[in-house]
Amino acid sequence: MADIVTIDRELISGFAPQRPEGGHKNTFGTALICAGSEYMTGAAVMAAGSALRSGAGLVKVFSDEKTLDAIRFNEPCALLELRPEKTADLLRKASMLCRNSSSVLVGPGMPADYKNMEALTERFLKEAKNVVLDAGALSGKYDVWSRLKESLRSREVPAVLTPHIGEFTRMTGISKDEIEARASEIASEFACDHECVLVLKSSRTLIASPDGMVYVNDLANSGLAKGGSGDVLAGLITGFMAQGMEPLKAACSAVFIHSKAGEAAKEDIGVRAMIPTDLILYLEEGYIQAGWSEDDE
């Protein structure tokens, strides 16, 4: 049975990345967001928006033309990189971008049938210093994860994987009912076996670390049960890691702050009316609740 710790203010209050007054944009890292597609441009917009609000010095979006147009309009502070269509060009550019990025997020808004998904995921796993896999990067079935397992295990810094229950079912071949019945145990086994940080998203989100520990977030809020909430969370984790946070601390902090931002949005807007883009605007309240803000002093 895995050891379980509740994520709360006491746990994460000391995790905040340092923000020296004399710092500059390179001091606070570059987050690369490989996300979006023609019919899911919003995922990249939300992931980039939360990464920008995380405090990262630079946020760069690596995507197709339609998504980059959406970024230009909605998040003008982000930098833009066009994602090549040809596999060789794509992987070459991914390698180049890794060299200039502190953390990489791959997958939000990228379709399950994207032809280069597995090759691109493997390239980032092998070359990115810090990497978060979400959504489309988690769309492969058990055989894909059998092939990617060695790339995960050979990383110097553990990758962060952020599946919801349905994605985790496809990844492991384990039924939804069994995962829900033994969530902590199964999540811990996966994280240990793949030497990664697993964020298993649900109303009771679990974060499993490679050392067998499991951290639980009990701040359920049905207002978060809407498409796009996970994109905001993934961007936040990536932004924190760009600033030098360890993967486990970044994941625990982002899950807690994301939930607290959701509570603030719920109070002002209500669970029916609140939408994922609202979470980005309420992140400062999440930082206050985490003990990360000067307003809390």
Side-chain angles (χ1 to χ4, degrees):
M1 191 69 179
D3 293 327
I4 300 177
V5 175
T6 298
I7 302 172
D8 56 16
R9 177 191 175 100
E10 183 178 359
L11 177 70
I12 70 168
S13 61
F15 290 173
Q18 296 298 306
R19 294 201 67 82
E21 287 299 321
H24 50 80
K25 60 189 177 185
N26 292 320
T27 304
F28 304 113
T30 297
L32 177 66
I33 310 295
C34 179
S37 56
E38 182 176 4
Y39 299 108
M40 291 187 284
T41 60
V45 171
M46 287 182 280
S50 61
L52 285 163
R53 296 282 184 174
S54 75
L58 291 170
V59 173
K60 188 177 295 183
V61 179
F62 184 36
S63 196
D64 63 284
E65 288 187 7
K66 287 188 180 293
T67 298
L68 296 184
D69 285 342
I71 296 291
R72 285 187 185 96
F73 182 79
N74 291 283
E75 294 294 350
C77 295
L79 303 175
L80 310 178
E81 290 285 351
L82 183 63
R83 205 164 59 212
E85 293 185 8
K86 293 183 179 180
T87 302
D89 293 339
L90 172 71
L91 297 181
R92 190 179 302 112
K93 190 162 188 179
S95 294
M96 180 272 291
L97 290 171
C98 278
R99 291 193 290 272
N100 298 305
S101 300
S102 312
S103 64
V104 176
L105 166 62
V106 56
M110 298 178 71
D113 61 356
Y114 176 55
K115 65 176 182 177
N116 291 312
M117 194 74 259
E118 184 177 344
L120 186 60
T121 300
E122 185 170 28
R123 180 59 56 94
F124 282 132
L125 284 174
K126 287 183 175 180
E127 298 189 11
K129 178 181 179 182
N130 294 289
V131 65
V132 179
L133 305 183
D134 182 57
L138 303 173
S139 59
K141 294 185 179 181
Y142 181 75
D143 61 324
V144 174
W145 291 98
S146 296
R147 293 193 293 271
L148 291 174
K149 182 176 179 179
E150 186 54 38
S151 295
L152 281 165
R153 291 177 60 88
S154 63
R155 286 184 54 78
E156 183 176 343
V157 178
V160 178
L161 280 59
T162 61
H164 55 59
I165 296 289
E167 290 165 337
F168 196 54
T169 294
R170 290 193 295 273
M171 291 167 62
T172 60
I174 302 172
S175 71
K176 179 181 177 182
D177 288 344
E178 184 174 358
I179 289 173
E180 290 180 338
R182 301 193 301 116
S184 298
E185 180 183 351
I186 292 172
S188 178
E189 289 174 355
F190 185 94
C192 291
D193 191 33
H194 291 77
E195 296 185 16
C196 67
V197 173
L198 179 73
V199 180
L200 184 56
K201 298 180 294 191
S202 186
S203 59
R204 185 175 188 262
T205 293
L206 302 178
I207 301 174
S209 67
D211 64 2
M213 293 292 294
V214 175
Y215 300 80
V216 59
N217 180 64
D218 283 321
L219 302 173
N221 175 357
S222 68
L224 297 175
K226 297 170 182 176
S229 292
D231 303 319
V232 175
L233 176 63
L236 197 59
I237 296 171
T238 308
F240 289 162
M241 290 171 68
Q243 296 169 73
M245 289 186 73
E246 298 171 7
L248 180 61
K249 291 181 178 180
C252 288
S253 299
V255 166
F256 181 84
I257 289 166
H258 181 269
S259 291
K260 287 298 184 181
E263 285 187 349
K266 172 183 172 180
E267 290 178 7
D268 284 356
I269 305 170
V271 292
R272 293 185 188 277
M274 62 183 280
I275 56 176
T277 50
D278 295 326
L279 301 175
I280 299 171
L281 301 177
Y282 283 91
L283 284 176
E284 178 57 20
E285 181 60 31
Y287 298 141
I288 292 171
Q289 295 299 319
W292 284 22
S293 174
E294 62 272 12
D295 294 342
D296 189 61
E297 296 177 356

